[in-house]
Amino acid sequence: MSLQRPVIWVHEEALGSSNPALLERPNSPALFVFDTRWIQEARISRKRLGFLYESALDLPITLRKGDVVKEVIAFAERHNADGVLSSLPVDPRLERIAVSIESHCPLELLEPEPFVTMPRPPRLGRFSRYWREAEPVVWEGF
Amino acid sequence: MPPQPIPTSLSWSERPGDLPRDLADRRALDRLLAEQFPEAGGRLSSLRGGRDAAETTLSRIDPRRYTKSRNHLKGAVTGLSPYIRHGVLSLAEVRDAVFQRIRSRDEGSKLINELGWRDFWQRMWRDLGDGIHDSQEELKTGHDPASYAGELPEDIRAGRTGLACMDGFQSELTSRGWLHNHARMWMAAYVVHWRKVHWKAGADWFLEHLLDGDPSSNHLSWQWVASSFSHKPYFFNKGNLERFSDGQFCRRCSSSERCPFEGSYEQLEGQLFASQGSIRDVPTRRSRNHQQRSGRQQELKGSGQAAMARPKR
């Protein structure tokens, strides 16, 4: 990893101790931001926010709300960071946020531990096609 | 009201605008969320977030009982989906926990298969990006896609359909934020096929409430029910719902004399779909949305979580 003094952006897909960014830099300041635009536009209910809040409280992270990009950049400045470290998101909304953060400062994304590592990308389209290829590999670990 | 666990302390100082980490109990959290996010409706779920709750839930999984009973509402399903969805538990961690609890592959194959579904949905999301919001294929219902309502009817949203099962599912969805997979599918089929509502309206409503609200598994599963991500529409009859819910709804349903789900599959297929021929004959046609993915994601290999299994009729 090239970043020397990163802050960690924890997002909604990685609110656990297996977050690869937290594992990589357990002592770096870390932040979770409640994305107020998403919450309003998708009409996210309070129980979903409560679940996220309780999960975030288990991690050594600062909690804020607002525009995620602005909050992450401000947090990096607050800690004199040389960049932002996070886990690779799947959600395109989080991906867009990552791209915006990267336009302001260096960003590194770490891939979480995979469920199954395939020798080549599996065929998708229907579950049965994917599972025909993935299942034998998954069971190799048993 | 149990106290909140003591939060992990921070090694850096707080600043104005940081949300509080020290909350006395869940009532305080509920008040805080009401104040900070007044637009977010409802109350807290009885299901708690966090690592302790996740580990407790993980410690209770029973792969053997899951294999036999998972399609029943009272079956030994794991309830892990919210924790997996938000990375509180990794799918790899759950896989290993299953491996530790079984003596043979047969004992765990169904549950591992379900974890495979979650991985599959994540891979599909990487592949389709925002395309999961679009119908993937033509409907096989014989109906014009434009004939489906764009808005969820108010009686469904408010739990006032008069059908004990659907109103019961609405109550679980909106209060607890979690539904058994079979209930999700029954409800989706009711909304799309019986009420002729576009799958997207129902899928978006589910995401407002589900603690495991994963757009990929949710939207593609709604499409699986609707038939824009499968070879035929999913529907059910009263016998199926009664069997897998142990009759808990039908016994007290005020609409039992005019149950819309009463009938054989052949009868219901005739009622619900424009022509049975169309269910089988429409060719599969994919509309992918690769162009919406950024270069970054297309170059990366997938990893995963999250989903919904397919109960048999």
Side-chain angles (χ1 to χ4, degrees):
Chain A
M1 193 181 72
S2 58
L3 298 174
Q4 301 302 309
R5 298 183 322 280
V7 290
I8 295 172
W9 166 45
V10 176
H11 55 65
E12 292 91 334
E13 292 176 5
L15 280 165
S17 52
S18 59
N19 180 321
L22 293 172
L23 290 173
E24 176 85 15
R25 289 299 187 109
N27 298 318
S28 292
L31 170 73
F32 175 83
V33 184
F34 286 90
D35 183 343
T36 45
R37 190 171 150 196
W38 168 64
I39 291 165
Q40 282 171 15
E41 288 180 354
R43 300 171 47 147
I44 299 301
S45 59
R46 192 188 303 170
K47 59 189 164 296
R48 288 201 66 186
L49 301 181
F51 189 88
L52 294 172
Y53 209 110
E54 287 180 320
S55 298
L57 284 180
D58 271 354
L59 300 172
I61 56 179
T62 290
L63 305 179
R64 293 184 69 88
K65 66 169 189 174
D67 179 304
V68 183
V69 177
K70 285 182 185 164
E71 291 292 338
V72 171
I73 300 298
F75 191 73
E77 288 170 357
R78 163 176 159 183
H79 290 280
N80 294 316
D82 61 350
V84 175
L85 185 64
S86 190
S87 55
L88 180 70
V90 178
D91 187 340
R93 174 178 64 85
L94 298 174
E95 190 188 330
R96 284 189 286 273
I97 290 170
V99 169
S100 294
I101 291 171
E102 197 172 27
S103 69
H104 291 84
C105 71
L107 172 74
E108 284 191 31
L109 298 174
L110 304 177
E111 190 159 10
E113 184 186 359
F115 171 65
V116 54
T117 305
M118 312 281 282
R120 59 180 185 280
R123 290 186 309 149
L124 299 174
R126 291 283 190 261
F127 176 75
S128 54
R129 292 178 210 157
Y130 153 74
W131 196 233
R132 212 172 295 135
E133 296 175 42
E135 187 179 22
V137 184
V138 173
W139 282 100
E140 283 172 10
F142 176 55
Chain B
M1 182 72 59
Q4 285 292 88
I6 298 166
T8 312
S9 60
L10 304 180
S11 59
W12 56 93
S13 59
E14 295 198 0
R15 289 276 179 91
D18 290 359
L19 294 168
R21 292 177 47 82
D22 196 4
L23 298 162
D25 53 27
R26 294 196 99 205
R27 205 172 291 133
L29 175 61
D30 202 36
R31 277 198 304 270
L32 173 79
L33 292 171
E35 178 190 307
Q36 293 288 340
F37 305 96
E39 69 281 13
R43 306 293 300 271
L44 289 181
S45 166
S46 57
L47 295 173
R48 301 176 77 115
R51 181 75 193 181
D52 286 351
E55 286 183 357
T56 301
T57 309
L58 185 61
S59 72
R60 291 178 181 147
I61 65 168
D62 187 337
R64 285 181 292 277
R65 283 186 57 227
Y66 177 88
T67 299
K68 291 178 185 155
S69 66
R70 69 192 183 286
N71 287 336
H72 291 263
L73 295 195
K74 291 181 179 165
V77 295
T78 67
L80 289 171
S81 54
Y83 304 104
I84 295 172
R85 155 68 174 120
H86 291 298
V88 182
L89 294 172
S90 73
L91 203 54
E93 208 174 343
V94 178
R95 174 202 63 204
D96 293 345
V98 175
F99 284 166
Q100 283 169 12
R101 280 170 175 73
I102 58 174
R103 291 163 300 190
S104 69
R105 188 164 157 169
D106 277 353
E107 289 182 350
S109 64
K110 290 294 182 192
L111 186 45
I112 291 292
N113 184 83
E114 178 64 11
L115 301 181
W117 269 105
R118 295 178 184 275
D119 189 48
F120 171 71
W121 292 131
Q122 292 298 104
R123 290 174 187 270
M124 287 298 298
W125 205 5
R126 281 188 192 278
D127 193 40
L128 297 168
D130 288 321
I132 61 163
H133 298 282
D134 304 324
S135 293
Q136 297 298 304
E137 301 165 10
E138 289 176 25
L139 295 175
K140 289 85 179 176
T141 59
H143 297 304
D144 181 349
S147 67
Y148 291 81
E151 298 286 332
L152 192 70
E154 191 49 37
D155 65 312
I156 297 177
R157 185 179 281 278
R160 291 198 306 266
T161 66
L163 303 169
C165 52
M166 296 303 150
D167 293 347
F169 301 149
Q170 181 274 352
S171 174
E172 278 286 291
L173 173 71
T174 58
S175 60
R176 195 154 175 251
W178 190 86
L179 275 180
H180 186 287
N181 179 63
H182 219 151
R184 296 182 196 207
M185 303 192 61
W186 289 325
M187 187 148 216
Y190 169 65
V191 169
V192 174
H193 301 313
W194 272 269
R195 300 296 299 269
K196 288 288 295 292
V197 176
H198 195 279
W199 65 263
K200 181 80 163 51
D204 286 345
W205 177 53
F206 265 29
L207 285 190
E208 292 174 25
H209 297 286
L210 287 173
L211 300 185
D212 60 26
D214 182 300
S216 180
S217 66
N218 183 64
H219 279 46
L220 293 174
S221 295
W222 272 83
Q223 296 205 48
W224 187 86
V225 168
S227 75
S228 60
F229 188 53
S230 60
H231 298 301
K232 58 185 180 182
Y234 168 82
F235 64 105
F236 64 94
N237 67 7
K238 182 182 175 185
N240 173 273
L241 192 146
E242 204 166 11
R243 178 183 167 206
F244 289 104
S245 63
D246 299 309
Q248 62 174 298
F249 301 107
C250 302
R251 273 196 295 276
R252 59 179 171 85
C253 184
S254 61
S255 304
S256 59
E257 296 304 311
R258 49 186 192 287
C259 174
F261 314 125
E262 185 78 66
S264 68
Y265 281 107
E266 291 70 27
Q267 288 169 330
L268 291 171
E269 189 169 321
Q271 287 170 28
L272 295 172
F273 308 117
S275 71
Q276 284 82 66
S278 67
I279 292 175
R280 300 185 186 94
D281 299 339
V282 175
T284 298
R285 185 180 58 75
R286 275 266 141 79
S287 55
R288 300 214 167 183
N289 250 351
H290 291 290
Q291 70 279 6
Q292 294 185 20
R293 305 299 278 160
S294 74
R296 179 203 302 279
Q297 286 279 289
Q298 287 199 39
E299 288 164 13
L300 291 162
K301 292 184 182 125
S303 64
Q305 346 157 334
M308 203 148 137
R310 271 92 198 94
K312 303 247 183 314
R313 278 187 188 141

